[in-house]
Amino acid sequence: MLLAHLASAQLQGLYDEWRWAHFALPAGLPSMQVVNVVELPSGTPWVHTYGGLAWYDGFRWHAAPVDSVRQADFRLGHISPAGDSVILVVPPYMYRCTPSGAVQLIPRAHGNPLAIKRAFALPNDDIMVQTDTALYLFNGDRTVALPSPYQDEIVRVPDNPFGLIRTGNGGIWLNAPHGLYRWTGKTWRFWYGPTDNEFIIVHSIKENDRGEGTLSARLGPRQIRMEWLGDHITRTIWTDPSTVMMAGDISPDGEIISQQSSGVLDIRVAGIWQTVEAPPDYL
């Protein structure tokens, strides 16, 4: 009861207007339809919208020139941090973007350009690249095939949901058809999977720097939400199919905010989940 009271008290000030800044087109956003937002190690936020990319200087947003990408294609891609730049993937192409512009990166296998589906930068400056059938490590003129559990017949199905996932703390995960793996820096380590032959389809993974995380996934016909700290799974909840985490984040101290596919907004404070009211109009 005391923990629940403390958690409720912490949520009371969540929607205080002074905590929030509202951005719209006059602030420099290319579009109000946002795909995702990332923050570089320097602290500079970048936003990916249906109308293009922009970076924030602390006062306003500045559009980043990516002239070789059609505006209609931006909604199909994703961005991720890569040092002082961002990697933009608009399948089947990949770009490195900075405030001054974008350069296309072209990994090749057997002399042929790879058709890229997802890509994320690693700490050693390699970029891990996913195609429809395999994974590769790319760095400049070097492209090396990376054996992995992703190489399964099912991934050859067009628009399949399997592949690479990056968490906010820089962790790289692999949602293979029959298991979830994480990259150790050298190889893939099995993390979780069904005991039978069911597929696991991960909707979202969030993890902070101290290794505390949560995921939302479909396991066969069922929906699951898991929480962990380090390598220890602390909570497993079988949920209603509508409780799919579509967006959210986890703070350094383990507070979690999760928007469900149903539109419900859930927040975990002090280990206790609570559903909060809809945000006020100014948000």
Side-chain angles (χ1 to χ4, degrees):
M1 291 291 291
L2 176 60
L3 285 176
H5 175 74
L6 291 174
S8 178
Q10 285 182 272
L11 289 176
Q12 288 180 1
L14 176 66
Y15 292 149
D16 290 344
E17 190 167 358
W18 63 268
R19 298 179 185 273
W20 300 88
H22 182 260
F23 299 108
L25 298 180
L29 287 178
S31 167
M32 291 298 292
Q33 295 173 293
V34 175
V35 180
N36 71 320
V37 179
V38 300
E39 184 177 359
L40 302 189
S42 64
T44 301
W46 279 69
V47 64
H48 173 194
T49 76
Y50 278 16
L53 309 185
W55 59 279
Y56 187 60
D57 66 0
F59 298 97
R60 63 176 288 108
W61 294 93
H62 301 270
V66 192
D67 299 333
S68 53
V69 180
R70 296 181 307 163
Q71 184 165 325
D73 290 335
F74 277 110
R75 68 188 64 190
L76 304 176
H78 71 266
I79 61 171
S80 60
D84 59 356
S85 62
V86 295
I87 297 297
L88 167 67
V89 172
V90 179
Y93 307 112
M94 175 171 65
Y95 305 85
R96 185 184 295 275
C97 306
T98 66
S100 59
V103 175
Q104 185 177 356
L105 305 177
I106 309 177
R108 299 177 183 272
H110 308 294
N112 299 314
L114 297 179
I116 301 168
K117 187 173 181 180
R118 304 178 193 177
F120 300 107
L122 302 178
N124 64 353
D125 294 331
D126 283 349
I127 299 175
M128 190 175 292
V129 174
Q130 172 191 337
T131 69
D132 278 335
T133 57
L135 302 181
Y136 298 85
L137 292 177
F138 168 72
N139 193 330
D141 295 329
R142 179 176 59 86
T143 304
V144 179
L146 180 63
S148 76
Y150 178 67
Q151 291 167 286
D152 187 292
E153 287 298 319
I154 190 66
V155 304
R156 298 179 184 275
V157 177
D159 300 322
N160 74 79
F162 306 108
L164 297 174
I165 303 170
R166 184 187 186 276
T167 50
N169 64 344
I172 304 295
W173 299 70
L174 176 63
N175 180 192
H178 299 292
L180 180 62
Y181 299 77
R182 67 186 308 166
W183 180 246
T184 67
K186 295 182 178 180
T187 188
W188 292 106
R189 179 166 61 87
F190 178 79
W191 195 83
Y192 181 81
T195 56
D196 49 25
N197 205 36
E198 293 178 326
F199 291 143
I200 179 170
I201 299 175
V202 176
H203 305 296
S204 180
I205 302 180
K206 306 297 176 183
E207 188 177 52
N208 61 22
D209 288 338
R210 67 175 185 175
E212 187 173 12
T214 183
L215 69 79
S216 171
R218 195 177 85 201
L219 199 61
R222 301 164 294 172
Q223 189 69 30
I224 189 173
R225 184 168 68 193
M226 299 178 62
E227 300 169 22
W228 64 89
L229 179 60
D231 289 328
H232 177 59
I233 296 175
T234 56
R235 183 181 298 176
T236 300
I237 305 171
W238 297 100
T239 65
D240 183 89
S242 65
T243 57
V244 174
M245 184 179 185
M246 302 303 295
D249 207 352
I250 183 168
S251 72
D253 60 1
E255 295 179 359
I256 302 172
I257 184 167
S258 171
Q259 181 182 358
Q260 311 298 337
S261 55
S262 61
V264 171
L265 189 65
D266 291 335
I267 294 182
R268 192 192 75 171
V269 177
I272 298 173
W273 282 98
Q274 298 188 57
T275 298
V276 298
E277 298 178 356
D281 292 340
Y282 58 79
L283 294 185

